[in-house]
Amino acid sequence: MGIMAATPVKAQYFRFCGNRYTADATIPLGGGTATWNQATTTLTLKNVQAENVSDNFISCDGIAHLKIVLEGSNSVKSNGSFLYWRGGNVEISGKGSLTARSENNEAIYMNGNAAPRTLTIKDCKLDVQGKRKSISGYENGDNTEMLNLVVDNATLKVKGATGGWGWKEPGITCLKSYELKNCHISTAGVRFGKRSNLTYYELLGTDNDTYPGEVEIVPGNAPTGISSVTADTLQGKRGIYTLDGMRLNGALDN
C-alpha cells in the first residue's frame, strides 16, 4: 500500500494598515476610502490621506495578481514600506495619483520568490520614496534577481540616497528586467543599466555609476533634440560642413 503525502498549500494573505482582510471591505481613511475586493484581489484608493501609518501600508503573500487602483489624489506616510509583497504580480494603475513616503529603506519591495514576478505601473501618477530606495526587488548574489518592472504611460518619480563613507543607493534597483512603454526617463543623463560588476539593472548616471538623485519617468517618446528640418535653397550656403558648423573645402558634388 502506497502512502501519498499532500504538498501543503501556502495560505495567501492581504494586510492593509496592519489589519488582515479576508472579505470585501470599505475602510474610511483620511477623508477618503480604501476598498478591498477579495474576489478580484483589488484595492482601490480614493482620495486617501494617511499619516503616520505604523506598519507596512500594504503587504501580501501568495496573491497571484494584486491590483492597486488609484482614484483622485492620494497621500501616504508610513513607518513600514508602502508596499511589501511575496509571490505574485502587482499592478498599480488608474487615473489618479499617489504620493508615498516611507521610513523603511525601500518604499516598494518584492521579497524573495521561487520565480520572477512583475510590477506594472500603468496610466497613473506615482511619486514614491523610501529612506534609501523607492523600488527594489529581491537579490542575493549574481543572477538571483526576481523583479521585472514595467512602466506604461505613467508618471513615476523616485529618489535614492547617499550617506557616510560614500555609499549611494538609486531610486530603482535590483531589477531582473525593465520595460518602458509609452514613456521615457525625462531626467537628463539618467538611464537603466548594469554596473560592470553586477547582474541587475538599476538607475545609472552619465558616469555609469549608481544615480542617487531624484528621477522622473513621464509619458510620451523621448525627444530627439531635432524639432524640425527645413530646406535652405540659397546657393551661397551650399557646401560641406562639420557638425560644429565649420565649412570645409571641396565640391559638394564630390
Side-chain angles (χ1 to χ4, degrees), residues 86-156:
R86 295 170 56 97
N89 301 321
V90 174
E91 178 181 297
I92 303 174
S93 64
K95 299 301 182 182
S97 65
L98 169 68
T99 299
R101 297 292 180 265
S102 169
E103 289 300 313
N104 205 3
N105 282 339
E106 299 91 359
I108 296 178
Y109 181 63
M110 187 217 71
N111 205 344
N113 283 288
R117 306 300 183 187
T118 300
L119 169 64
T120 301
I121 300 170
K122 183 176 181 180
D123 296 331
C124 58
K125 294 181 178 179
L126 181 61
D127 178 352
V128 58
Q129 294 181 19
K131 194 172 181 180
R132 289 195 176 189
K133 295 169 272 190
S134 294
I135 300 173
S136 179
Y138 172 83
E139 183 271 334
N140 189 26
D142 290 351
N143 299 304
T144 60
E145 303 83 19
M146 290 291 175
L147 179 60
N148 304 307
L149 175 66
V150 177
V151 184
D152 185 358
N153 190 44
T155 298
L156 174 62

Side-chain angles (χ1 to χ4, degrees), residues 16 21 25-29 32-36 43 48:
F16 177 68
Y21 292 89
T26 298
I27 306 105
L29 189 61
T33 56
T35 304
W36 171 244
L43 177 70
V48 165

Side-chain angles (χ1 to χ4, degrees), residues 25-48:
T26 298
I27 306 105
L29 189 61
T33 56
T35 304
W36 171 244
N37 186 309
Q38 179 71 18
T40 63
T41 59
T42 300
L43 177 70
T44 301
L45 302 177
K46 185 174 182 180
N47 296 320
V48 165

Side-chain angles (χ1 to χ4, degrees), residues 135-196:
I135 300 173
S136 179
Y138 172 83
E139 183 271 334
N140 189 26
D142 290 351
N143 299 304
T144 60
E145 303 83 19
M146 290 291 175
L147 179 60
N148 304 307
L149 175 66
V150 177
V151 184
D152 185 358
N153 190 44
T155 298
L156 174 62
K157 187 181 292 184
V158 299
K159 190 176 185 298
T162 58
W165 302 287
W167 65 263
K168 51 186 175 180
E169 300 277 9
I172 302 175
T173 187
C174 297
L175 300 180
K176 180 179 178 64
S177 72
Y178 72 92
E179 183 179 8
L180 301 182
K181 300 170 64 176
N182 309 304
C183 57
H184 66 279
I185 298 175
S186 63
T187 307
V190 178
R191 63 182 177 85
F192 281 108
K194 298 179 181 180
R195 282 183 280 161
S196 59

